[in-house]
Amino acid sequence: MPSYDYPFNERIRTLLRVEDLFAKVLHNLAADHEFQHHCALLTLLQILDVVDRAELKVDLLQELDRQKTAMRMLIGNPIISAEALEATLDDINVAADALRAETTKLGQTLRANEWLMSIKQRAGIPGGVCEFDVPSYHYWLGLGAERRKHDLESWIKPLIPMQQAIIIILRILRGSGSTNKLVATNGVYQQMLGGVRPAQMLKINLADNLNCFPEVSANKYAINIRFNTLDCTQKPQKFEEDIDFSLTLCNL
């Protein structure tokens, strides 16, 4: 079932971006071909750009501590699985301890690597890491899969505590809120929002057989969802049918 997340603020937007980039890094790292390891490295350098624009470490630690406090208050609640709660608390403690153990700024080991930073600078130019532009990079790509994997893993390792913290926070976020089954009349759905705690993200799920996707405009006051279809030859067109979908408003 296709699922779409839409963040309501820059904080959640950053977490989703890093989650997406890390998934692509790890997918390409698991392969053996030099082109996939090239993609893994360039995506890793994109993570560095995202991290540089946010005080992510402090924010993650504060959120983990906040979630730990909130979950401890649920201990003994009969409607909460004690086993699941204990497992989540353990995950939070492990992630927080690993983040605190990394005493340098997130990504600092990568920034201190002059060769990687030279690759990063050239990567901003279309085709800028061709073998005639950066022969040392072409040489590295030819060193073999095991050597490339070893190097990539060593470069990624200092960022793994950040990734694990983000996985936990987004898992808690996605698991929050109740899911409602709704209908978008003629491909359009609107909803006014209220309440003391505004949503931080919405999640939309669609049936597999629907040839459309949602475009969302939302803030703390209202949600506007327009379902479109795509044939890849022109800009998306409105999907002119009633659509059954599920909507979850998520909040940490």
Side-chain angles (χ1 to χ4, degrees), residues 20-50:
D20 176 72
L21 292 170
F22 244 110
K24 292 170 181 172
V25 168
L26 297 178
H27 174 81
N28 284 301
L29 173 59
D32 290 329
H33 198 280
E34 66 180 77
F35 289 172
Q36 288 166 298
H37 290 169
H38 165 75
C39 291
L41 178 57
L42 296 196
T43 308
L44 177 62
L45 296 176
Q46 287 183 44
I47 293 175
L48 194 60
D49 280 336
V50 176

PDB file of all heavy atoms in Angstrom, residues 20-50:
ATOM      1  N   ASP A  20      15.494   9.427   4.353  1.00  0.00           N
ATOM      2  CA  ASP A  20      15.472   9.042   2.945  1.00  0.00           C
ATOM      3  C   ASP A  20      16.891   8.893   2.391  1.00  0.00           C
ATOM      4  O   ASP A  20      17.197   7.914   1.701  1.00  0.00           O
ATOM      5  CB  ASP A  20      14.696  10.093   2.151  1.00  0.00           C
ATOM      6  CG  ASP A  20      14.698   9.821   0.659  1.00  0.00           C
ATOM      7  OD1 ASP A  20      14.010   8.880   0.228  1.00  0.00           O
ATOM      8  OD2 ASP A  20      15.387  10.543  -0.080  1.00  0.00           O
ATOM      9  N   LEU A  21      17.758   9.842   2.693  1.00  0.00           N
ATOM     10  CA  LEU A  21      19.120   9.793   2.185  1.00  0.00           C
ATOM     11  C   LEU A  21      19.884   8.595   2.746  1.00  0.00           C
ATOM     12  O   LEU A  21      20.632   7.919   2.017  1.00  0.00           O
ATOM     13  CB  LEU A  21      19.856  11.090   2.507  1.00  0.00           C
ATOM     14  CG  LEU A  21      19.363  12.334   1.764  1.00  0.00           C
ATOM     15  CD1 LEU A  21      20.005  13.593   2.344  1.00  0.00           C
ATOM     16  CD2 LEU A  21      19.672  12.227   0.268  1.00  0.00           C
ATOM     17  N   PHE A  22      19.689   8.309   4.023  1.00  0.00           N
ATOM     18  CA  PHE A  22      20.385   7.172   4.627  1.00  0.00           C
ATOM     19  C   PHE A  22      19.923   5.862   4.010  1.00  0.00           C
ATOM     20  O   PHE A  22      20.737   4.946   3.784  1.00  0.00           O
ATOM     21  CB  PHE A  22      20.158   7.141   6.150  1.00  0.00           C
ATOM     22  CG  PHE A  22      21.420   7.326   6.925  1.00  0.00           C
ATOM     23  CD1 PHE A  22      21.655   8.489   7.634  1.00  0.00           C
ATOM     24  CD2 PHE A  22      22.404   6.341   6.950  1.00  0.00           C
ATOM     25  CE1 PHE A  22      22.827   8.682   8.351  1.00  0.00           C
ATOM     26  CE2 PHE A  22      23.575   6.511   7.660  1.00  0.00           C
ATOM     27  CZ  PHE A  22      23.785   7.684   8.370  1.00  0.00           C
ATOM     28  N   ALA A  23      18.631   5.729   3.722  1.00  0.00           N
ATOM     29  CA  ALA A  23      18.123   4.510   3.095  1.00  0.00           C
ATOM     30  C   ALA A  23      18.806   4.286   1.751  1.00  0.00           C
ATOM     31  O   ALA A  23      19.167   3.150   1.389  1.00  0.00           O
ATOM     32  CB  ALA A  23      16.612   4.596   2.926  1.00  0.00           C
ATOM     33  N   LYS A  24      19.019   5.362   1.005  1.00  0.00           N
ATOM     34  CA  LYS A  24      19.666   5.250  -0.302  1.00  0.00           C
ATOM     35  C   LYS A  24      21.156   4.926  -0.155  1.00  0.00           C
ATOM     36  O   LYS A  24      21.708   4.129  -0.928  1.00  0.00           O
ATOM     37  CB  LYS A  24      19.465   6.542  -1.093  1.00  0.00           C
ATOM     38  CG  LYS A  24      18.013   6.752  -1.505  1.00  0.00           C
ATOM     39  CD  LYS A  24      17.758   8.143  -2.065  1.00  0.00           C
ATOM     40  CE  LYS A  24      16.284   8.295  -2.443  1.00  0.00           C
ATOM     41  NZ  LYS A  24      15.931   9.677  -2.823  1.00  0.00           N
ATOM     42  N   VAL A  25      21.806   5.530   0.826  1.00  0.00           N
ATOM     43  CA  VAL A  25      23.219   5.219   1.067  1.00  0.00           C
ATOM     44  C   VAL A  25      23.389   3.736   1.377  1.00  0.00           C
ATOM     45  O   VAL A  25      24.227   3.040   0.772  1.00  0.00           O
ATOM     46  CB  VAL A  25      23.782   6.061   2.227  1.00  0.00           C
ATOM     47  CG1 VAL A  25      25.155   5.528   2.653  1.00  0.00           C
ATOM     48  CG2 VAL A  25      23.920   7.514   1.837  1.00  0.00           C
ATOM     49  N   LEU A  26      22.609   3.220   2.311  1.00  0.00           N
ATOM     50  CA  LEU A  26      22.768   1.832   2.755  1.00  0.00           C
ATOM     51  C   LEU A  26      22.385   0.847   1.655  1.00  0.00           C
ATOM     52  O   LEU A  26      22.994  -0.224   1.532  1.00  0.00           O
ATOM     53  CB  LEU A  26      21.947   1.596   4.019  1.00  0.00           C
ATOM     54  CG  LEU A  26      22.379   2.423   5.238  1.00  0.00           C
ATOM     55  CD1 LEU A  26      21.475   2.159   6.423  1.00  0.00           C
ATOM     56  CD2 LEU A  26      23.844   2.151   5.599  1.00  0.00           C
ATOM     57  N   HIS A  27      21.381   1.203   0.858  1.00  0.00           N
ATOM     58  CA  HIS A  27      21.004   0.334  -0.261  1.00  0.00           C
ATOM     59  C   HIS A  27      22.148   0.211  -1.258  1.00  0.00           C
ATOM     60  O   HIS A  27      22.499  -0.893  -1.695  1.00  0.00           O
ATOM     61  CB  HIS A  27      19.759   0.893  -0.962  1.00  0.00           C
ATOM     62  CG  HIS A  27      19.392   0.149  -2.211  1.00  0.00           C
ATOM     63  ND1 HIS A  27      18.686  -1.031  -2.189  1.00  0.00           N
ATOM     64  CD2 HIS A  27      19.653   0.416  -3.527  1.00  0.00           C
ATOM     65  CE1 HIS A  27      18.513  -1.475  -3.429  1.00  0.00           C
ATOM     66  NE2 HIS A  27      19.097  -0.611  -4.260  1.00  0.00           N
ATOM     67  N   ASN A  28      22.747   1.327  -1.629  1.00  0.00           N
ATOM     68  CA  ASN A  28      23.841   1.301  -2.596  1.00  0.00           C
ATOM     69  C   ASN A  28      25.121   0.717  -2.014  1.00  0.00           C
ATOM     70  O   ASN A  28      25.899   0.080  -2.727  1.00  0.00           O
ATOM     71  CB  ASN A  28      24.095   2.714  -3.130  1.00  0.00           C
ATOM     72  CG  ASN A  28      23.046   3.157  -4.131  1.00  0.00           C
ATOM     73  OD1 ASN A  28      22.843   2.532  -5.157  1.00  0.00           O
ATOM     74  ND2 ASN A  28      22.349   4.245  -3.833  1.00  0.00           N
ATOM     75  N   LEU A  29      25.335   0.913  -0.723  1.00  0.00           N
ATOM     76  CA  LEU A  29      26.517   0.345  -0.073  1.00  0.00           C
ATOM     77  C   LEU A  29      26.478  -1.176  -0.086  1.00  0.00           C
ATOM     78  O   LEU A  29      27.512  -1.837  -0.220  1.00  0.00           O
ATOM     79  CB  LEU A  29      26.594   0.848   1.375  1.00  0.00           C
ATOM     80  CG  LEU A  29      27.680   0.234   2.267  1.00  0.00           C
ATOM     81  CD1 LEU A  29      29.062   0.484   1.678  1.00  0.00           C
ATOM     82  CD2 LEU A  29      27.590   0.806   3.670  1.00  0.00           C
ATOM     83  N   ALA A  30      25.285  -1.763   0.031  1.00  0.00           N
ATOM     84  CA  ALA A  30      25.157  -3.218   0.080  1.00  0.00           C
ATOM     85  C   ALA A  30      25.515  -3.887  -1.251  1.00  0.00           C
ATOM     86  O   ALA A  30      25.768  -5.092  -1.288  1.00  0.00           O
ATOM     87  CB  ALA A  30      23.732  -3.602   0.487  1.00  0.00           C
ATOM     88  N   ALA A  31      25.523  -3.115  -2.335  1.00  0.00           N
ATOM     89  CA  ALA A  31      25.857  -3.663  -3.651  1.00  0.00           C
ATOM     90  C   ALA A  31      27.373  -3.692  -3.832  1.00  0.00           C
ATOM     91  O   ALA A  31      28.141  -3.282  -2.957  1.00  0.00           O
ATOM     92  CB  ALA A  31      25.191  -2.828  -4.736  1.00  0.00           C
ATOM     93  N   ASP A  32      27.810  -4.186  -4.994  1.00  0.00           N
ATOM     94  CA  ASP A  32      29.248  -4.330  -5.235  1.00  0.00           C
ATOM     95  C   ASP A  32      29.772  -3.455  -6.367  1.00  0.00           C
ATOM     96  O   ASP A  32      30.983  -3.261  -6.482  1.00  0.00           O
ATOM     97  CB  ASP A  32      29.581  -5.792  -5.564  1.00  0.00           C
ATOM     98  CG  ASP A  32      29.438  -6.711  -4.360  1.00  0.00           C
ATOM     99  OD1 ASP A  32      29.672  -6.232  -3.226  1.00  0.00           O
ATOM    100  OD2 ASP A  32      29.092  -7.891  -4.545  1.00  0.00           O
ATOM    101  N   HIS A  33      28.876  -2.950  -7.212  1.00  0.00           N
ATOM    102  CA  HIS A  33      29.348  -2.233  -8.404  1.00  0.00           C
ATOM    103  C   HIS A  33      29.847  -0.835  -8.044  1.00  0.00           C
ATOM    104  O   HIS A  33      29.310  -0.169  -7.160  1.00  0.00           O
ATOM    105  CB  HIS A  33      28.217  -2.124  -9.432  1.00  0.00           C
ATOM    106  CG  HIS A  33      28.703  -1.808 -10.808  1.00  0.00           C
ATOM    107  ND1 HIS A  33      29.045  -0.529 -11.210  1.00  0.00           N
ATOM    108  CD2 HIS A  33      28.928  -2.611 -11.871  1.00  0.00           C
ATOM    109  CE1 HIS A  33      29.452  -0.557 -12.465  1.00  0.00           C
ATOM    110  NE2 HIS A  33      29.382  -1.803 -12.906  1.00  0.00           N
ATOM    111  N   GLU A  34      30.853  -0.389  -8.748  1.00  0.00           N
ATOM    112  CA  GLU A  34      31.445   0.924  -8.448  1.00  0.00           C
ATOM    113  C   GLU A  34      30.457   2.063  -8.666  1.00  0.00           C
ATOM    114  O   GLU A  34      30.520   3.077  -7.965  1.00  0.00           O
ATOM    115  CB  GLU A  34      32.692   1.149  -9.292  1.00  0.00           C
ATOM    116  CG  GLU A  34      32.460   1.265 -10.775  1.00  0.00           C
ATOM    117  CD  GLU A  34      33.755   1.489 -11.540  1.00  0.00           C
ATOM    118  OE1 GLU A  34      34.507   0.502 -11.731  1.00  0.00           O
ATOM    119  OE2 GLU A  34      34.012   2.640 -11.932  1.00  0.00           O
ATOM    120  N   PHE A  35      29.529   1.928  -9.613  1.00  0.00           N
ATOM    121  CA  PHE A  35      28.552   2.988  -9.837  1.00  0.00           C
ATOM    122  C   PHE A  35      27.629   3.142  -8.624  1.00  0.00           C
ATOM    123  O   PHE A  35      27.252   4.261  -8.261  1.00  0.00           O
ATOM    124  CB  PHE A  35      27.715   2.695 -11.078  1.00  0.00           C
ATOM    125  CG  PHE A  35      28.457   2.837 -12.382  1.00  0.00           C
ATOM    126  CD1 PHE A  35      27.872   2.444 -13.572  1.00  0.00           C
ATOM    127  CD2 PHE A  35      29.754   3.351 -12.417  1.00  0.00           C
ATOM    128  CE1 PHE A  35      28.562   2.573 -14.773  1.00  0.00           C
ATOM    129  CE2 PHE A  35      30.445   3.487 -13.606  1.00  0.00           C
ATOM    130  CZ  PHE A  35      29.842   3.082 -14.791  1.00  0.00           C
ATOM    131  N   GLN A  36      27.270   2.026  -7.994  1.00  0.00           N
ATOM    132  CA  GLN A  36      26.414   2.097  -6.811  1.00  0.00           C
ATOM    133  C   GLN A  36      27.165   2.662  -5.618  1.00  0.00           C
ATOM    134  O   GLN A  36      26.604   3.401  -4.802  1.00  0.00           O
ATOM    135  CB  GLN A  36      25.834   0.716  -6.508  1.00  0.00           C
ATOM    136  CG  GLN A  36      24.769   0.305  -7.519  1.00  0.00           C
ATOM    137  CD  GLN A  36      24.420  -1.161  -7.448  1.00  0.00           C
ATOM    138  OE1 GLN A  36      25.251  -2.034  -7.680  1.00  0.00           O
ATOM    139  NE2 GLN A  36      23.174  -1.438  -7.117  1.00  0.00           N
ATOM    140  N   HIS A  37      28.455   2.352  -5.511  1.00  0.00           N
ATOM    141  CA  HIS A  37      29.255   2.935  -4.435  1.00  0.00           C
ATOM    142  C   HIS A  37      29.497   4.423  -4.685  1.00  0.00           C
ATOM    143  O   HIS A  37      29.599   5.208  -3.739  1.00  0.00           O
ATOM    144  CB  HIS A  37      30.577   2.175  -4.296  1.00  0.00           C
ATOM    145  CG  HIS A  37      30.391   0.799  -3.742  1.00  0.00           C
ATOM    146  ND1 HIS A  37      31.382  -0.153  -3.734  1.00  0.00           N
ATOM    147  CD2 HIS A  37      29.304   0.216  -3.161  1.00  0.00           C
ATOM    148  CE1 HIS A  37      30.937  -1.260  -3.169  1.00  0.00           C
ATOM    149  NE2 HIS A  37      29.680  -1.057  -2.823  1.00  0.00           N
ATOM    150  N   HIS A  38      29.575   4.814  -5.945  1.00  0.00           N
ATOM    151  CA  HIS A  38      29.631   6.239  -6.294  1.00  0.00           C
ATOM    152  C   HIS A  38      28.366   6.947  -5.811  1.00  0.00           C
ATOM    153  O   HIS A  38      28.435   8.012  -5.182  1.00  0.00           O
ATOM    154  CB  HIS A  38      29.786   6.384  -7.810  1.00  0.00           C
ATOM    155  CG  HIS A  38      29.495   7.753  -8.340  1.00  0.00           C
ATOM    156  ND1 HIS A  38      30.373   8.811  -8.190  1.00  0.00           N
ATOM    157  CD2 HIS A  38      28.406   8.248  -8.996  1.00  0.00           C
ATOM    158  CE1 HIS A  38      29.845   9.896  -8.752  1.00  0.00           C
ATOM    159  NE2 HIS A  38      28.663   9.585  -9.244  1.00  0.00           N
ATOM    160  N   CYS A  39      27.206   6.332  -6.074  1.00  0.00           N
ATOM    161  CA  CYS A  39      25.936   6.923  -5.605  1.00  0.00           C
ATOM    162  C   CYS A  39      25.889   6.978  -4.084  1.00  0.00           C
ATOM    163  O   CYS A  39      25.395   7.953  -3.507  1.00  0.00           O
ATOM    164  CB  CYS A  39      24.750   6.116  -6.140  1.00  0.00           C
ATOM    165  SG  CYS A  39      24.505   6.250  -7.922  1.00  0.00           S
ATOM    166  N   ALA A  40      26.393   5.931  -3.426  1.00  0.00           N
ATOM    167  CA  ALA A  40      26.398   5.905  -1.957  1.00  0.00           C
ATOM    168  C   ALA A  40      27.221   7.062  -1.400  1.00  0.00           C
ATOM    169  O   ALA A  40      26.799   7.751  -0.461  1.00  0.00           O
ATOM    170  CB  ALA A  40      26.940   4.573  -1.451  1.00  0.00           C
ATOM    171  N   LEU A  41      28.391   7.302  -1.978  1.00  0.00           N
ATOM    172  CA  LEU A  41      29.256   8.362  -1.466  1.00  0.00           C
ATOM    173  C   LEU A  41      28.643   9.738  -1.697  1.00  0.00           C
ATOM    174  O   LEU A  41      28.621  10.579  -0.785  1.00  0.00           O
ATOM    175  CB  LEU A  41      30.636   8.285  -2.119  1.00  0.00           C
ATOM    176  CG  LEU A  41      31.628   9.372  -1.689  1.00  0.00           C
ATOM    177  CD1 LEU A  41      31.819   9.363  -0.176  1.00  0.00           C
ATOM    178  CD2 LEU A  41      32.960   9.200  -2.398  1.00  0.00           C
ATOM    179  N   LEU A  42      28.125   9.990  -2.897  1.00  0.00           N
ATOM    180  CA  LEU A  42      27.541  11.302  -3.173  1.00  0.00           C
ATOM    181  C   LEU A  42      26.312  11.552  -2.305  1.00  0.00           C
ATOM    182  O   LEU A  42      26.074  12.689  -1.874  1.00  0.00           O
ATOM    183  CB  LEU A  42      27.185  11.426  -4.654  1.00  0.00           C
ATOM    184  CG  LEU A  42      28.350  11.382  -5.645  1.00  0.00           C
ATOM    185  CD1 LEU A  42      27.903  11.900  -7.013  1.00  0.00           C
ATOM    186  CD2 LEU A  42      29.553  12.195  -5.165  1.00  0.00           C
ATOM    187  N   THR A  43      25.539  10.500  -2.028  1.00  0.00           N
ATOM    188  CA  THR A  43      24.379  10.658  -1.148  1.00  0.00           C
ATOM    189  C   THR A  43      24.818  10.907   0.289  1.00  0.00           C
ATOM    190  O   THR A  43      24.211  11.704   1.011  1.00  0.00           O
ATOM    191  CB  THR A  43      23.475   9.416  -1.220  1.00  0.00           C
ATOM    192  OG1 THR A  43      23.165   9.125  -2.589  1.00  0.00           O
ATOM    193  CG2 THR A  43      22.169   9.659  -0.462  1.00  0.00           C
ATOM    194  N   LEU A  44      25.891  10.258   0.711  1.00  0.00           N
ATOM    195  CA  LEU A  44      26.442  10.518   2.040  1.00  0.00           C
ATOM    196  C   LEU A  44      26.860  11.973   2.186  1.00  0.00           C
ATOM    197  O   LEU A  44      26.622  12.609   3.232  1.00  0.00           O
ATOM    198  CB  LEU A  44      27.637   9.597   2.287  1.00  0.00           C
ATOM    199  CG  LEU A  44      28.390   9.783   3.609  1.00  0.00           C
ATOM    200  CD1 LEU A  44      27.482   9.512   4.800  1.00  0.00           C
ATOM    201  CD2 LEU A  44      29.626   8.887   3.644  1.00  0.00           C
ATOM    202  N   LEU A  45      27.443  12.529   1.140  1.00  0.00           N
ATOM    203  CA  LEU A  45      27.834  13.933   1.180  1.00  0.00           C
ATOM    204  C   LEU A  45      26.620  14.859   1.203  1.00  0.00           C
ATOM    205  O   LEU A  45      26.676  15.953   1.766  1.00  0.00           O
ATOM    206  CB  LEU A  45      28.738  14.249  -0.015  1.00  0.00           C
ATOM    207  CG  LEU A  45      30.081  13.508  -0.025  1.00  0.00           C
ATOM    208  CD1 LEU A  45      30.857  13.800  -1.295  1.00  0.00           C
ATOM    209  CD2 LEU A  45      30.916  13.847   1.206  1.00  0.00           C
ATOM    210  N   GLN A  46      25.497  14.417   0.624  1.00  0.00           N
ATOM    211  CA  GLN A  46      24.253  15.184   0.734  1.00  0.00           C
ATOM    212  C   GLN A  46      23.753  15.200   2.183  1.00  0.00           C
ATOM    213  O   GLN A  46      23.234  16.217   2.661  1.00  0.00           O
ATOM    214  CB  GLN A  46      23.178  14.584  -0.171  1.00  0.00           C
ATOM    215  CG  GLN A  46      23.389  14.828  -1.649  1.00  0.00           C
ATOM    216  CD  GLN A  46      22.244  14.268  -2.468  1.00  0.00           C
ATOM    217  OE1 GLN A  46      21.076  14.418  -2.137  1.00  0.00           O
ATOM    218  NE2 GLN A  46      22.588  13.604  -3.560  1.00  0.00           N
ATOM    219  N   ILE A  47      23.901  14.075   2.871  1.00  0.00           N
ATOM    220  CA  ILE A  47      23.530  14.034   4.296  1.00  0.00           C
ATOM    221  C   ILE A  47      24.319  15.081   5.065  1.00  0.00           C
ATOM    222  O   ILE A  47      23.779  15.772   5.939  1.00  0.00           O
ATOM    223  CB  ILE A  47      23.780  12.628   4.885  1.00  0.00           C
ATOM    224  CG1 ILE A  47      22.823  11.606   4.270  1.00  0.00           C
ATOM    225  CG2 ILE A  47      23.624  12.643   6.419  1.00  0.00           C
ATOM    226  CD1 ILE A  47      23.077  10.179   4.714  1.00  0.00           C
ATOM    227  N   LEU A  48      25.576  15.207   4.729  1.00  0.00           N
ATOM    228  CA  LEU A  48      26.421  16.201   5.404  1.00  0.00           C
ATOM    229  C   LEU A  48      25.863  17.604   5.196  1.00  0.00           C
ATOM    230  O   LEU A  48      25.862  18.423   6.123  1.00  0.00           O
ATOM    231  CB  LEU A  48      27.849  16.095   4.878  1.00  0.00           C
ATOM    232  CG  LEU A  48      28.930  16.815   5.670  1.00  0.00           C
ATOM    233  CD1 LEU A  48      29.013  16.298   7.085  1.00  0.00           C
ATOM    234  CD2 LEU A  48      30.274  16.658   4.954  1.00  0.00           C
ATOM    235  N   ASP A  49      25.381  17.897   3.998  1.00  0.00           N
ATOM    236  CA  ASP A  49      24.787  19.206   3.726  1.00  0.00           C
ATOM    237  C   ASP A  49      23.556  19.443   4.598  1.00  0.00           C
ATOM    238  O   ASP A  49      23.369  20.543   5.140  1.00  0.00           O
ATOM    239  CB  ASP A  49      24.389  19.313   2.248  1.00  0.00           C
ATOM    240  CG  ASP A  49      25.572  19.621   1.344  1.00  0.00           C
ATOM    241  OD1 ASP A  49      26.559  20.183   1.851  1.00  0.00           O
ATOM    242  OD2 ASP A  49      25.505  19.293   0.145  1.00  0.00           O
ATOM    243  N   VAL A  50      22.702  18.428   4.742  1.00  0.00           N
ATOM    244  CA  VAL A  50      21.495  18.571   5.564  1.00  0.00           C
ATOM    245  C   VAL A  50      21.871  18.774   7.021  1.00  0.00           C
ATOM    246  O   VAL A  50      21.312  19.632   7.716  1.00  0.00           O
ATOM    247  CB  VAL A  50      20.582  17.341   5.400  1.00  0.00           C
ATOM    248  CG1 VAL A  50      19.364  17.456   6.327  1.00  0.00           C
ATOM    249  CG2 VAL A  50      20.113  17.204   3.957  1.00  0.00           C
TER     250      VAL A  50
END
